[in-house]
Amino acid sequence: MDRLWTDFVNSDYHDWRGGERSEDRLGNVSWQQDFLNRWQLEAPVPASNEEESAMRSFRDDLQALAIRLSNGKLFTEKDEAWLNDFMMAGEVIRQIITQDQQLGVALVPIHRHWAQVMAEVAADFAVTLVEGEGKRIRSCDNPDCRWIFYDDTRSRTQKYCDDKMCGNLMKVRRFRAKRKMHSNEEKTKT
Ligand SMILES: [Zn+2]
């Protein structure tokens, strides 16, 4: 399932079929608007050039950290300070809200700018580490895809972002590679 932070990191889109459609969607106006809508966040669209480059470097660092943790590396004090820095820009107030006829207390963002959005992304990543485990963070095993996701299966064995898409594609590739090997063996025999 997509989380706020994985959705943000995956704006660096790789064509999982290995084609030409890979693109960095972060600077894309429609991606920016859809992203804000999906997560009920507010910021000016399009983001300014400075905001866009700040977000890109934040995203690339977050992606690198996620991959490090997925490889079993520890979450360091330096990582902690780095995340805290980004979260600090996202001030919130407490507010009673009604959702699905249930009363709740929500932390409502004060600012409507991209630094606030990055703070929300950083906080969602922090919650993933607090409530889950860094080791469950995965990068899709299809080398063309590299989609970042959180493995919430009981067995912790999810290798592909989507078994029907990348899983099947890799199965077909393995099958073809095997068949090719076989036919080469046949050739050397004769
Ligand atoms: Zn994938």
Side-chain angles (χ1 to χ4, degrees):
M1 203 183 64
D2 268 345
R3 298 189 55 121
L4 171 57
W5 75 267
T6 57
D7 192 12
F8 182 78
V9 165
N10 289 325
S11 59
D12 181 18
Y13 176 79
H14 300 278
D15 188 349
W16 60 280
R17 289 191 182 89
E20 303 290 314
R21 287 171 52 245
S22 295
E23 60 172 334
D24 183 348
R25 294 176 168 168
L26 201 65
N28 192 316
V29 174
S30 63
W31 182 88
Q32 291 174 5
Q33 193 57 64
D34 291 345
F35 177 78
L36 294 175
N37 294 347
R38 270 199 296 282
W39 301 101
Q40 294 166 345
L41 298 167
E42 289 181 68
V45 174
S48 70
N49 288 343
E50 296 82 56
E51 286 167 325
E52 193 188 316
S53 69
M55 280 197 286
R56 186 162 291 119
S57 84
F58 170 59
R59 182 200 59 197
D60 294 349
D61 289 345
L62 185 59
Q63 187 179 41
L65 173 59
I67 290 173
R68 274 206 309 280
L69 295 175
S70 77
N71 290 331
K73 295 269 179 343
L74 292 177
F75 182 69
T76 64
E77 269 174 36
K78 204 174 140 206
D79 298 329
E80 193 179 307
W82 175 79
L83 267 184
N84 275 337
D85 262 357
F86 279 95
M87 286 195 284
M88 216 178 292
E91 292 166 87
V92 291
I93 50 165
R94 290 164 192 78
Q95 208 167 61
I96 292 189
I97 53 153
T98 318
Q99 203 172 32
D100 304 325
Q101 293 171 342
Q102 291 261 331
L103 276 185
V105 178
L107 298 175
V108 181
I110 295 180
H111 308 292
R112 294 174 180 179
H113 53 43
W114 287 98
Q116 178 92 43
V117 171
M118 286 192 276
E120 300 294 330
V121 170
D124 185 53
F125 183 79
V127 168
T128 298
L129 294 184
V130 171
E131 292 180 352
E133 299 165 56
K135 276 187 230 155
R136 280 180 180 264
I137 296 170
R138 308 253 183 284
S139 161
C140 180
D141 244 21
N142 170 4
D144 288 322
C145 176
R146 307 206 298 271
W147 190 265
I148 302 283
F149 64 95
Y150 186 77
D151 179 6
D152 50 13
T153 62
R154 191 186 278 256
S155 57
R156 308 167 175 228
T157 50
Q158 194 179 342
K159 281 166 76 177
Y160 302 106
C161 65
D162 187 318
D163 278 338
K164 286 194 187 72
M165 292 154 83
C166 285
N168 272 340
L169 183 87
M170 294 303 281
K171 212 189 277 174
V172 169
R173 278 188 192 165
R174 277 197 302 273
F175 176 74
R176 283 193 188 140
K178 223 184 212 170
R179 203 171 52 180
K180 206 172 156 196
M181 219 161 69
H182 264 292
S183 68
N184 284 346
E185 277 169 19
E186 295 287 312
K187 270 181 213 155
T188 49
K189 269 184 213 159
T190 53

